[in-house]
Amino acid sequence: MATASAPGKVYLFGEHAVVYGEPAVPCAIERRATVTVEERADDRLRIDAEDLSLDGFTVEFSGSTDESPSVDVSESLLTAAMGYVDAAVDQARDAADRPNAGFDVTIDSDIPLGAGLGSSAAVVVAGIEAGTRELGVELSRAELAERAYQVEHEVQDGQASRADTYCSTMGGAVRVEGDRCETIEAPDLPFVVGYDGGAGDTGELVSGVRALKDEYDFAADTVTAIGDIVRQGERALEAGDVDELGRLMDFNHGLLSALGVSARSLDAMVWGAREAGAKGAKLTGAGGGGCIVALDESSATETALEYTPDCEQVFRARLDKEGVRLEP
Ligand code: PMV
C-alpha cells in the first residue's frame, strides 16, 4: 500500500491571460488531496472517495469506474473526478510497464471541487505518485508533473494549462508561461480563501474571454495588462513586498472583472476582504463562482468573510512549499 498527498493552489496572478501566452503565478496552498493505492490480485479498479471537499459538499462513491455511484454533486463534476482517477492510474501502469495492474484507490481531499483551487490536479498528482510507488517505481518530479499534465490534457479535451499540475507537484510559487514552468522564490504568504459553494464552467468562461478579446482591442489590451501585472508581481515576490502584492491582486481582480469572469458572489467576498483590511483580494481560477483569495496576516478577513452572506466557507491556508509527498 502507498499513500501520497499533493496540494491545491491559488492563482496569485495571471489566470485567463495565461491561455494567450502571458505568464501566470500560481501558488500551492496547505490544503491537500491524499490518495492511497493498493494493488489488487485481479485487474479491476475500485475507487473510494469519502470526502472530496469541504463540509456540505461531499462526493461518496465506490465501485469500478464503469459502475454508477451514488452522489450528491452534479453528474458532470463526478464524471470528471472519476475520469481523472482512471487516467492517473493508467499513467502509473504505463510508468511501471504493468498495463493490467488492478488497484484499490482511496481518495481523501480537503480541496473543494471545481472551485479554482486545483482539486483535480492534486488528486492526479497524488494518485500517480501513490500508484507508481505501489508498483515499485520512483518518478522524478519533472516526470510526475509531465504525466499529470498529460492526464489533465486528456480528460479536459486538450484545454489544460500546465499551471495546476506543475504547481501541485513542485509546491511553492511557480511561474508558467506557455510550456515553460519554473519554481520561483516567495515569502510565506498569509492566504485567506473564501468559497461561495459553487463552481464556474471553465470552458465557457475561457470562450467568453476569447470572444471579447477577438471583438475588442481594449479587451485584448486588458489581457496584455494582466501579463504586465504578473511581471510586476514577480518583482514584488522577489522583494517579499506583501503590500505591493496585495495592490497588484486588487488590480488583477478588476481586470478579470472587466473581462466578465467575476460574479456577484466573488465580488461580494473580494469587497468583504478588502473592507476588513486585507492587503489585496481577487478571484482565483476560471471565475464565475468558486473561490477568492485574499492576503491578510490578521484574522479580520476571515471574520468578515464568515459574515459575508455569499461566502459558504472560509479558511486560512499558508503557501505550501512542499508539493507532492509520500505519506507514512
Ligand atoms: O479554475 P481552474 O483552477 O481550473 O483555473 C483555470 C485557469 C484558466 O486560466 C482560466 C484556464 C487555464 O487552463 O489556464
Side-chain angles (χ1 to χ4, degrees), residues 9-313:
K9 63 104 206 7
V10 292
Y11 271 94
L12 193 55
F13 307 114
E15 55 272 87
H16 283 288
V18 72
V19 175
Y20 309 100
E22 298 292 345
V25 176
C27 294
I29 55 169
E30 285 177 334
R31 279 258 156 177
R32 288 185 164 252
T34 303
V35 180
T36 298
V37 175
E38 185 160 19
E39 196 178 354
R40 293 168 61 104
D42 57 24
D43 62 359
R44 287 181 51 116
L45 175 63
R46 179 196 154 89
I47 303 167
D48 265 298
E50 293 247 318
D51 181 6
L52 272 186
S53 184
L54 299 174
D55 297 348
F57 183 35
T58 301
V59 181
E60 287 182 326
F61 61 87
S62 63
S64 78
T65 52
D66 43 49
E67 282 164 17
S68 185
S70 82
V71 285
D72 61 358
V73 294
S74 77
E75 189 67 32
S76 58
L77 274 182
L78 183 76
T79 310
M82 306 270 274
Y84 287 112
V85 178
D86 223 5
V89 161
D90 269 347
Q91 286 291 337
R93 290 179 177 128
D94 181 66
D97 202 13
R98 293 277 311 280
N100 297 319
F103 300 102
D104 285 334
V105 178
T106 309
I107 304 166
D108 195 353
S109 171
D110 53 13
I111 310 165
L113 274 183
L117 297 184
S119 57
S120 55
V123 167
V124 168
V125 168
I128 297 176
E129 175 71 353
T132 47
R133 294 291 188 141
E134 175 66 358
L135 296 177
V137 172
E138 193 176 332
L139 297 180
S140 69
R141 285 194 161 195
E143 188 179 346
L144 177 54
E146 178 58 30
R147 286 186 177 274
Y149 167 66
Q150 292 306 332
V151 168
E152 291 228 315
H153 192 264
E154 179 188 323
V155 178
Q156 293 170 202
D157 295 327
Q159 291 256 41
S161 79
R162 290 176 183 271
D164 287 25
T165 40
Y166 188 78
C167 187
S168 188
T169 306
M170 301 296 175
V174 308
R175 178 187 203 276
V176 178
E177 186 172 2
D179 285 348
R180 291 201 306 281
C181 304
E182 58 187 318
T183 54
I184 56 179
E185 284 304 313
D188 186 15
L189 296 168
F191 294 123
V192 179
V193 176
Y195 173 41
D196 70 4
D201 182 327
T202 303
E204 233 169 65
L205 291 152
V206 169
S207 307
V209 172
R210 190 183 299 279
L212 272 182
K213 193 176 155 295
D214 289 346
E215 187 168 357
Y216 300 110
D217 286 347
F218 52 79
D221 292 344
T222 303
V223 169
T224 311
I226 291 177
D228 292 340
I229 290 177
V230 180
R231 284 179 279 272
Q232 187 84 22
E234 285 174 62
R235 290 193 281 277
L237 267 179
E238 225 166 87
D241 187 344
V242 181
D243 289 334
E244 171 78 347
L245 288 172
R247 277 192 296 274
L248 294 168
M249 286 169 73
D250 285 343
F251 218 122
N252 196 161
H253 181 77
L255 296 184
L256 287 167
S257 217
L259 291 173
V261 299
S262 191
R264 184 189 284 266
S265 57
L266 299 177
D267 286 342
M269 292 191 287
V270 160
W271 277 105
R274 286 178 186 163
E275 284 171 4
K279 298 211 181 283
K282 64 182 278 295
L283 68 84
T284 171
C291 291
I292 65 130
V293 57
L295 289 183
D296 190 355
E297 200 59 65
S298 82
S299 58
T301 295
E302 275 170 281
T303 308
L305 288 177
E306 271 161 23
Y307 288 99
T308 302
D310 284 298
C311 183
E312 200 163 281
Q313 298 274 344

